[in-house]
Amino acid sequence: MNSITFSSSLPNFTQKHGINSRSPCTVSLLQNLVTPKSCQLSNSNLKMQPKYSKSLVVAALGETNNGSQQSDSMPPSPLLDLIQRFYGHLNCKDVKRLEKLLDPACVIEDAAYLKPLHGKKIHNYFEKLTEAMGQHVFFAIDEICAGDESDIAVMWHLEWNGEVIPFTKGCSFYTCSKTNEMILIRKAHVFVEAPFKPGNFALETLKIVVALFDRFPKLTENFLRKPDAMVLFLVKLYKFLVEPLMLPVIMYYARVLTYGAKILTNVLTFLNNILRLFF
């Protein structure tokens, strides 16, 4: 598996891989990234060295109206070319061009969703993603690992105006296919860093869950084979049994608290009026 780490400055990267550095999207990103953000002290020679943000793969590859590249220099592989354009269009919030890189039967499995996305749901997915990113958030590529001729993995994080956003690291695995002489994304797996860091608590929880699995093997098999059905069953159980019992109790205590608040308000008002008579 070949690995490409993007640690050089963005101008060198765009020149090396044939990205059109004069496109509007690339120019705006160049202005944010090529200027040294801060300086770090080198232990070896005790000199101040500029510290650059990792390069964004901004594949506004300078396409013409018919989709051909303006630059004569080509990326090392068709897969890398595809990934460059994919994240470039994503950073430019160009959903229409991005969808041209997807196979009509493309499936996206995002760990944040219960079910895989396909068809129109993919369009809504990217529309919501680009809307949430706004105008100042971009994907920054940390590393690309290429497998065979159809598989490629990308490690990335999000940046706001060149500043790294915490808890936004992610990894995406893409399976591609050749359709009408074009390499398109057929399947994508997306995993995003969890904002919570349970540490040893996660291992202790896993230990308890595994113990329950071992204690009730039949129920475990049914649950693991159809986890969605089990969740739906629990939701229905809550609606038909728990909710009818809990809702009256909650409403009762809400009324008690409301009356209690009114009584407390009246008492405080009465005490305030008494204090005014003496002071």
Side-chain angles (χ1 to χ4, degrees), residues 138-140 142 156-159 163-171 191-195:
F138 302 99
F139 277 84
D142 297 313
W156 48 264
H157 66 272
L158 294 180
E159 293 185 359
E163 298 291 341
V164 178
I165 304 176
F167 310 120
T168 60
K169 295 179 181 178
C171 185
F191 303 91
V192 184
E193 178 184 11

Side-chain angles (χ1 to χ4, degrees), residues 215-233:
R215 181 68 178 83
F216 305 101
K218 293 295 183 181
L219 291 176
T220 300
E221 290 178 1
N222 294 332
F223 172 73
L224 295 179
R225 288 173 183 173
K226 296 181 178 180
D228 296 341
M230 183 64 68
V231 172
L232 292 176
F233 172 75

Side-chain angles (χ1 to χ4, degrees), residues 92-121:
C92 291
K93 286 74 178 178
D94 194 340
V95 178
K96 290 185 178 179
R97 286 193 175 186
L98 186 149
E99 289 180 332
K100 293 180 181 179
L101 306 178
L102 304 179
D103 189 275
C106 179
V107 177
I108 295 181
E109 295 187 6
D110 192 323
Y113 291 79
L114 289 176
K115 296 182 179 180
L117 305 176
H118 50 81
K120 190 175 181 180
K121 292 183 179 180

Side-chain angles (χ1 to χ4, degrees), residues 14-188:
T14 56
Q15 182 179 4
K16 179 180 179 181
H17 296 288
I19 298 177
N20 181 14
S21 60
R22 289 180 289 182
S23 66
C25 180
T26 310
V27 169
S28 64
L29 292 171
L30 281 169
Q31 293 174 349
N32 287 333
L33 290 179
V34 300
T35 303
K37 295 162 46 180
S38 60
C39 291
Q40 62 181 1
L41 190 62
S42 173
N43 293 330
S44 58
N45 51 15
L46 297 180
K47 293 181 179 179
M48 300 300 290
Q49 299 178 347
K51 182 180 180 181
Y52 291 90
S53 173
K54 285 187 178 294
S55 303
L56 284 175
V57 176
V58 285
L61 281 178
E63 296 181 351
T64 60
N65 294 332
N66 59 4
S68 62
Q69 295 181 9
Q70 294 175 352
S71 175
D72 296 333
S73 58
M74 295 293 293
S77 71
L79 284 181
L80 182 58
D81 173 29
L82 178 65
I83 293 301
Q84 288 175 357
R85 286 185 288 145
F86 177 83
Y87 283 98
H89 296 325
L90 190 57
N91 281 340
C92 291
K93 286 74 178 178
D94 194 340
V95 178
K96 290 185 178 179
R97 286 193 175 186
L98 186 149
E99 289 180 332
K100 293 180 181 179
L101 306 178
L102 304 179
D103 189 275
C106 179
V107 177
I108 295 181
E109 295 187 6
D110 192 323
Y113 291 79
L114 289 176
K115 296 182 179 180
L117 305 176
H118 50 81
K120 190 175 181 180
K121 292 183 179 180
I122 294 180
H123 174 80
N124 296 335
Y125 172 78
F126 285 115
E127 285 285 353
K128 291 180 180 179
L129 175 59
T130 53
E131 181 181 358
M133 290 170 62
Q135 298 298 321
H136 302 287
V137 173
F138 302 99
F139 277 84
I141 303 303
D142 297 313
E143 190 171 353
I144 291 181
C145 299
D148 55 21
E149 296 181 355
S150 61
D151 298 320
I152 190 167
V154 182
M155 296 184 65
W156 48 264
H157 66 272
L158 294 180
E159 293 185 359
W160 180 87
N161 279 348
E163 298 291 341
V164 178
I165 304 176
F167 310 120
T168 60
K169 295 179 181 178
C171 185
S172 300
F173 295 86
Y174 300 97
T175 301
C176 305
S177 61
K178 199 169 185 179
T179 305
N180 297 328
E181 302 301 322
M182 293 179 61
I183 296 181
L184 302 175
I185 297 175
R186 178 166 51 88
K187 193 171 185 179

